[in-house]
């Protein structure tokens, strides 16, 4: 499988008093993501053939064995309606939205115009989610770079999210899922847990990606630390050759992720929701193989064994 670029580069629990205050809001739970129980197989839309329309993409996803799909932000109302119709006709659940503008226009920027554009993108993503019945919008909350220090990324992003994004998320009943994705920010599970908890809101959780922290951590450790904060899971694999200073994104089972341990950790924290493949795309035969690998992961097995 050819190397896949990461897109566009690519402690602790809230106080009991806060929890009781949120109970009246009746937020969606992770368990509710899978209505009939068990982990659910989903695909990110970019893995499906680009030449197909949304209805045919969705039909293919169902045919190869996926139960749900994650879509990127759609600003054109007609296209958003087309996607909704494709979901209704095929029965493929749209479970989440991947926000599009948090890299170009980071919430942590000191420039108000950049932040305004980022907020507008999240508003569109949240309204997409409401239209499609998706429960979560993925958000990269901040980017640390030469212009933005770590502390500034933390305080600026939290302020904007609390004041300008969270009210709409609560109104629409859509969770904002924070993702760590090579943004030089939230580099440990303890930091991610603290960052999420400081919102004191049931509408802010973590969107956990199994492959993203293999440079500096272990996904099973992140899972056990984040626990019930996890709203959704992305899966990909990652191969790191430190001796040769080489790395690459790989198909499931062909990298360094300890998949049986990841599955064990998900069971320990009682995660019972959507698991979305976010790797290179391909044709029906390729996608069926991805689904088969995902089934093995769910069963606690290694998803791939190299030929002898």
């Amino acid at each position: 499988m050819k190397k896949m670029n990461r897109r566009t580069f690519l402690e602790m629990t809230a106080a009991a008093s806060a929890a009781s205050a949120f109970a009246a809001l009746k937020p969606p739970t992770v368990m509710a993501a899978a209505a009939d129980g068990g982990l659910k197989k989903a695909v990110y839309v970019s893995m499906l053939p680009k030449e197909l329309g949304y209805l045919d993409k969705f039909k293919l996803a169902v045919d190869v064995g996926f139960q749900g799909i994650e879509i990127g932000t759609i600003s054109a109302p007609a296209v958003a309606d087309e996607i909704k119709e494709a979901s209704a006709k095929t029965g493929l659940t749209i479970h989440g939205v991947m926000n599009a503008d948090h890299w170009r226009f980071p919430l942590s920027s000191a420039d108000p115009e950049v932040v305004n554009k980022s907020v507008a993108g999240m508003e569109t993503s949240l309204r997409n989610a409401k239209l499609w019945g998706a429960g979560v919008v993925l958000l990269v909350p901040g980017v640390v770079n030469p212009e933005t220090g770590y502390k500034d990324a933390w305080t600026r992003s939290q302020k904007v999210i609390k004041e300008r994004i969270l009210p709409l998320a609560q109104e629409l009943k859509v969770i904002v899922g924070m993702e760590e994705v090579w943004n030089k920010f939230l580099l440990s599970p303890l930091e991610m847990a603290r960052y999420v908890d400081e919102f004191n809101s049931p509408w802010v959780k973590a969107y956990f990606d199994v492959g993203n922290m293999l440079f500096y951590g272990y996904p099973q450790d992140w899972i056990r630390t984040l626990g019930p904060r996890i709203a959704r899971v992305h899966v990909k694999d990652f191969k790191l050759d430190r001796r040769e200073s080489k790395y690459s994104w790989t198909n499931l089972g062909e990298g360094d992720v300890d998949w049986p341990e990841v599955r064990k950790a998900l069971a320990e924290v009682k995660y019972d929701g959507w698991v979305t493949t976010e790797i290179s795309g391909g044709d029906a035969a390729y996608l069926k193989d991805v689904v088969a690998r995902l089934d093995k992961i769910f069963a606690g097995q290694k998803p791939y064994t190299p030929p002898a």
Side-chain angles (χ1 to χ4, degrees), residues 122-183:
M122 268 302 288
E123 289 173 346
T124 300
S125 297
L126 287 165
R127 296 192 187 282
N128 284 161
K130 181 65 174 180
L131 175 68
W132 299 330
V136 177
V137 171
L138 181 156
L139 173 65
V140 176
V143 177
V144 174
N145 55 33
E147 294 76 38
T148 303
Y150 210 105
K151 182 179 179 180
D152 288 334
W154 190 290
T155 56
R156 289 174 188 168
S157 62
Q158 283 195 336
K159 178 179 174 60
V160 176
I161 292 166
K162 286 177 181 177
E163 295 179 357
R164 303 179 62 184
I165 293 174
L166 197 48
L168 181 60
Q170 180 175 318
E171 175 189 335
L172 299 179
K173 295 181 171 55
V174 177
I175 288 172
V176 179
M178 309 296 184
E179 187 185 41
E180 189 288 315
V181 56
W182 291 14
N183 48 339

Side-chain angles (χ1 to χ4, degrees), residues 7-270:
R7 66 176 182 279
T8 328
F9 167 33
L10 280 69
E11 41 177 87
M12 324 320 27
T13 305
S17 59
S20 62
F22 306 144
L25 294 174
K26 297 182 180 179
T29 65
V30 170
M31 299 293 283
D36 57 349
L39 297 175
K40 296 293 185 181
K41 298 185 289 288
V43 59
Y44 185 58
V45 65
S46 68
M47 289 181 59
L48 303 173
K50 292 177 174 57
E51 65 272 15
L52 298 181
Y54 280 105
L55 180 59
D56 288 333
K57 287 180 193 286
F58 281 34
K59 286 179 179 178
L60 175 60
V62 171
D63 288 345
V64 301
F66 287 109
Q67 299 153 292
I69 191 167
E70 185 178 62
I71 305 288
T73 308
I74 299 294
S75 57
V79 178
D81 288 341
E82 178 187 354
I83 290 170
K84 180 180 180 180
E85 183 177 1
S87 174
K89 287 184 175 180
T90 61
L92 187 70
T93 298
I94 304 172
H95 76 80
V97 177
M98 186 185 292
N99 181 51
D101 285 338
H102 43 217
W103 282 107
R104 288 189 303 159
F105 310 118
L107 289 173
S108 51
S109 173
D111 185 338
E113 288 306 310
V114 170
V115 174
N116 288 342
K117 291 176 181 178
S118 190
V119 170
M122 268 302 288
E123 289 173 346
T124 300
S125 297
L126 287 165
R127 296 192 187 282
N128 284 161
K130 181 65 174 180
L131 175 68
W132 299 330
V136 177
V137 171
L138 181 156
L139 173 65
V140 176
V143 177
V144 174
N145 55 33
E147 294 76 38
T148 303
Y150 210 105
K151 182 179 179 180
D152 288 334
W154 190 290
T155 56
R156 289 174 188 168
S157 62
Q158 283 195 336
K159 178 179 174 60
V160 176
I161 292 166
K162 286 177 181 177
E163 295 179 357
R164 303 179 62 184
I165 293 174
L166 197 48
L168 181 60
Q170 180 175 318
E171 175 189 335
L172 299 179
K173 295 181 171 55
V174 177
I175 288 172
V176 179
M178 309 296 184
E179 187 185 41
E180 189 288 315
V181 56
W182 291 14
N183 48 339
K184 302 185 186 296
F185 185 53
L186 305 178
L187 299 178
S188 80
L190 290 175
E191 285 188 41
M192 176 65 87
R194 177 186 166 193
Y195 185 86
V196 168
D197 287 349
E198 285 183 353
F199 286 95
N200 289 334
S201 172
W203 305 102
V204 177
K205 291 184 178 291
Y207 200 125
F208 178 71
D209 189 299
V210 169
N212 282 354
M213 70 292 304
L214 280 175
F215 260 139
Y216 40 77
Y218 300 90
Q220 58 267 30
D221 178 39
W222 277 69
I223 292 167
R224 293 182 173 110
T225 301
L226 294 176
R229 299 173 185 85
I230 299 174
R232 294 287 191 274
V233 173
H234 272 162
V235 288
K236 61 170 68 72
D237 215 330
F238 184 73
K239 188 70 176 176
L240 178 60
D241 184 341
R242 295 185 184 275
R243 178 173 295 181
E244 297 295 330
S245 298
K246 296 179 180 179
Y247 65 87
S248 61
W249 299 102
T250 76
N251 201 342
L252 306 179
E254 297 179 31
D256 295 329
V257 173
D258 185 341
W259 290 105
E261 194 63 27
V262 165
R263 180 64 183 98
K264 181 180 176 183
L266 288 172
E268 287 176 10
V269 303
K270 297 180 172 58

Side-chain angles (χ1 to χ4, degrees), residues 43-44 47-49 57 60-61 64-66 277 279-293:
V43 59
Y44 185 58
M47 289 181 59
L48 303 173
K57 287 180 193 286
L60 175 60
V64 301
F66 287 109
T277 54
I279 58 178
S280 291
D283 60 13
Y286 167 82
L287 294 168
K288 285 181 180 179
D289 176 69
V290 171
V291 169
R293 295 184 189 212

